[in-house]
Amino acid sequence: MDSMSRRSVLAAAAVAAPFVGRVARAQADWPTRPVRFVIPFTAGGAGDTAARAVGQKLGEILGQNIVIENRTGGNAVVAANVVLQAPRDGYTYLWDAANQITNPVLVRDLPFDYRTSFVPVSLLALFPQVLAVKTDFPAHTLAEFIEVAKRRPGTITCGTPPTAGMGHLALELFQKLAGIRLVHTGYRGGADAARDITAGHIDSILLTSSTVRGPVQAGKARVLAVTSAQRIAALPDVPTFAEQGFPGYEMDDWNGLYAPAGAPREMLPRLQRAIAEATRDPAVLARMAPLGTVLVGAGADEFASFLERKRTVIEQLIRDVGITLG
């Protein structure tokens, strides 16, 4: 290398050194104050419970509190806007569900573009869903349920939370594949649907396994099938839809963490490592397993690939069956 080339390399290194130093310090120092996770769910639901369980352990790992802020409304658009309007300093994140995929198809005049406004950080958890019937419903298997539905088309009621949510989408896909037509009722939350099946006001429900625990334990409902690819620890004796004649059927709900675009990314590797550690923690796993929640903690690349796969299926399903928000 000639002297001029050496001088160029040294000059470039001198310019880069302060930047590299700042990045290293930012990673080492972050976080220096509480970190906020804004979630679009009501307190006590599956997503809220997972956020608080993971957030508590995450706070211990990072040495700062994780503040869980429930901002419901607007089909999760309110929570997203809160994050986008906050300072983009690496201290405010969106903990969201399938809204990142469904809202662009369902919500008119969105004030932002999800794909360019948010950066995937981590796939946090999967929430297997279940099809359950009230105890006096004349079916004990999925095949029997389909048989009854075909004998009584357009009369059997099924509730999901909410309209156009993953429960509704799972129900629509099931109806399409099984060749049946049920009467769908959209609820604001899973607890409302659970209360109605407990009271016998509705024939069936399709919602997360954690939310159905109450009616099942009270002897007011029984589970016929789970939407996950494999059986779940919380309901080991309940077969999947795939096992019961619908190969490839997999319609779990999920939660992931997103950073607003334009926020500094230097701290993301540390955050992702901490999330992976928190979602593997034995105490957190023990808390979530009985609810049927499957903690994942996958990194940004894996999460982005997951979203693309789901986007292809979900966008087409919404269009095929004509789901709208009213």
Side-chain angles (χ1 to χ4, degrees):
M1 181 182 294
D2 60 32
S3 59
M4 181 171 292
S5 297
R6 284 196 296 271
R7 285 197 299 272
S8 298
V9 170
L10 291 172
V15 171
F19 172 75
V20 173
R22 286 196 300 273
V23 171
R25 287 193 298 274
Q27 288 181 303
D29 295 343
W30 182 91
T32 58
R33 53 188 171 86
V35 178
R36 182 167 64 147
F37 287 177
V38 181
I39 67 175
F41 320 122
T42 56
D48 176 79
T49 301
R52 294 181 188 280
V54 174
Q56 181 179 352
K57 185 62 183 180
L58 192 59
E60 295 173 9
I61 296 168
L62 294 174
Q64 290 287 344
N65 288 335
I66 304 296
V67 178
I68 305 299
E69 183 177 328
N70 303 84
R71 296 298 293 267
T72 61
N75 210 53
V77 173
V78 169
N81 261 327
V82 167
V83 173
L84 294 178
Q85 292 169 6
R88 303 194 182 193
D89 54 8
Y91 283 86
T92 301
Y93 297 85
L94 178 66
W95 178 299
D96 203 0
N99 308 296
Q100 297 266 334
I101 294 174
T102 59
N103 276 352
V105 186
L106 294 166
V107 179
R108 294 181 180 178
D109 302 321
L110 274 174
F112 53 83
D113 182 340
Y114 275 101
R115 298 186 75 166
T116 59
S117 297
F118 292 98
V119 176
V121 174
S122 176
L123 174 60
L124 294 155
L126 300 175
F127 301 95
Q129 304 183 99
V130 301
L131 175 67
V133 295
K134 61 182 181 179
T135 50
D136 61 354
F137 190 85
H140 290 77
T141 66
L142 191 62
E144 291 175 355
F145 182 88
I146 294 169
E147 182 182 343
V148 174
K150 287 183 175 179
R151 289 201 312 265
R152 297 161 46 189
T155 63
I156 297 170
T157 51
C158 187
T160 73
T163 297
M166 281 304 294
H168 187 188
L169 294 173
L171 176 62
E172 292 292 350
L173 181 58
F174 168 49
Q175 292 183 96
K176 181 180 178 182
L177 295 175
I180 59 175
R181 178 49 54 187
L182 309 177
V183 179
H184 174 249
T185 301
Y187 288 86
R188 182 177 180 184
D192 300 320
R195 279 192 295 270
D196 263 9
I197 201 166
T198 298
H201 298 324
I202 194 166
D203 296 316
S204 61
I205 50 177
L206 208 162
L207 68 170
T208 58
S209 55
S210 60
T211 313
V212 82
R213 290 179 76 214
V216 170
Q217 291 175 346
K220 299 296 184 179
R222 61 176 174 272
V223 180
L224 303 184
V226 296
T227 65
S228 50
Q230 292 86 32
R231 297 191 187 195
I232 59 175
L235 297 166
D237 297 326
V238 177
T240 66
F241 278 83
E243 289 179 274
Q244 299 184 80
F246 300 94
Y249 183 101
E250 183 182 355
M251 288 293 284
D252 297 339
D253 203 349
W254 74 85
N255 281 179
L257 194 69
Y258 302 82
R265 301 193 185 190
E266 295 84 43
M267 62 284 297
L268 291 186
R270 186 179 182 205
L271 176 58
Q272 289 162 345
R273 288 193 299 271
I275 289 172
E277 182 178 346
T279 52
R280 291 194 301 265
D281 180 76
V284 178
L285 290 169
R287 179 177 174 184
M288 301 310 299
L291 303 179
T293 302
V294 180
L295 296 178
V296 182
D301 290 343
E302 186 175 344
F303 187 24
S305 296
F306 171 90
L307 290 172
E308 287 306 310
R309 292 195 305 272
K310 292 296 183 181
R311 182 174 285 111
T312 300
V313 174
I314 289 173
E315 287 182 349
Q316 190 61 50
L317 178 63
I318 291 172
R319 295 187 175 102
D320 284 349
V321 301
I323 297 174
T324 67
L325 290 178

